[in-house]
């Protein structure tokens, strides 16, 4: 089992490689294998250039990458991660998610703890929602979003303003952010309704940049 906490848990006055070799020894990995595995993980997170840097000199995001390398070094069968993508750039976050999905596909247990609701749709997994230390919902990603869609209000962000008249004619229109809105809110009962709204806008020359439905989740469990 391996654990990644919100504290990166590295020795600041040691280099990145010295840290990883030290933890490799604790995991009872031979020095040569620990070195090979360390460089493999550092390259995965595009951090190999920091191998000889002292930890105290690194940015918080880079320290997070090194902490991830440390937690993965022993190839654990059970991995508990607290906000693993915190401080990471989008590319590194994507690498983390792909790696965790691969580990899960190999039969390993990955527990991913986060308060970032936008992480939810990026995994096909079992979801446990906690409130006040109690489980308030036990579901799966797809089942949850099917349920959440009923009566939800989502925001559609556009590449450029559209007319107020067009905005109000969109199926399920709920509200807009101005007379020439760059974002409108629509009420949906299924995710087909989002597709309908996007198709309606696209057919009239509007370009959709993003659909944000996370606010509904926050309100549901706050």
């Amino acid at each position: 089992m391996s654990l990644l906490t919100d504290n990166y848990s590295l020795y600041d006055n040691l280099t990145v490689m010295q840290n990883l070799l030290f933890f490799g020894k604790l995991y009872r990995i031979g020095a040569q294998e620990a070195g090979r595995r360390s460089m493999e993980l550092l390259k995965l997170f595009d951090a190999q250039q920091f191998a000889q840097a002292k930890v105290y000199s690194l940015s918080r995001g880079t320290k997070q990458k090194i902490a991830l390398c440390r937690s993965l070094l022993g190839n654990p069968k059970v991995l508990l991660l607290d906000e693993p993508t915190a401080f990471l750039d989008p590319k590194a976050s994507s690498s983390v998610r792909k790696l965790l999905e691969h580990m899960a596909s190999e039969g390993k247990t990955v527990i991913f703890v986060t308060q970032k609701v936008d992480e939810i749709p990026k995994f096909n997994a079992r979801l446990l929602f906690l409130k006040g230390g109690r489980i308030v919902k036990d579901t799966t990603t797809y089942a949850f979003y099917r349920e959440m869609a009923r009566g939800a209000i989502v925001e559609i962000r556009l590449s450029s303003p559209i007319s107020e008249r067009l905005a109000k004619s969109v199926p399920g229109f709920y509200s807009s952010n101005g007379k020439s809105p760059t974002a409108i809110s629509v009420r949906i009962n299924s995710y087909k309704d989002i597709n309908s709204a996007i198709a309606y806008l696209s057919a009239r020359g509007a370009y959709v940049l993003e659909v944000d439905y996370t606010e509904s989740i926050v309100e549901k469990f706050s």
Side-chain angles (χ1 to χ4, degrees), residues 6 22 27 34 37 51 68 101 104 116 123 136 151 176 181-182 189 206:
D6 59 352
F22 170 75
Y27 296 142
R37 178 67 172 158
L68 280 161
E101 288 174 345
K116 296 165 65 178
F123 293 97
V136 296
S176 64
T182 55
N189 286 306

Side-chain angles (χ1 to χ4, degrees), residues 4-8 10 45 59-69 82-88:
L4 176 72
T5 64
D6 59 352
N7 186 321
Y8 53 86
L10 298 168
F45 297 119
S59 69
R60 186 63 182 87
T62 302
K63 289 176 181 176
Q64 184 75 356
K65 291 180 181 181
I66 308 309
L68 280 161
C69 292
D82 185 4
E83 301 283 5
T85 58
F87 307 104
L88 296 184

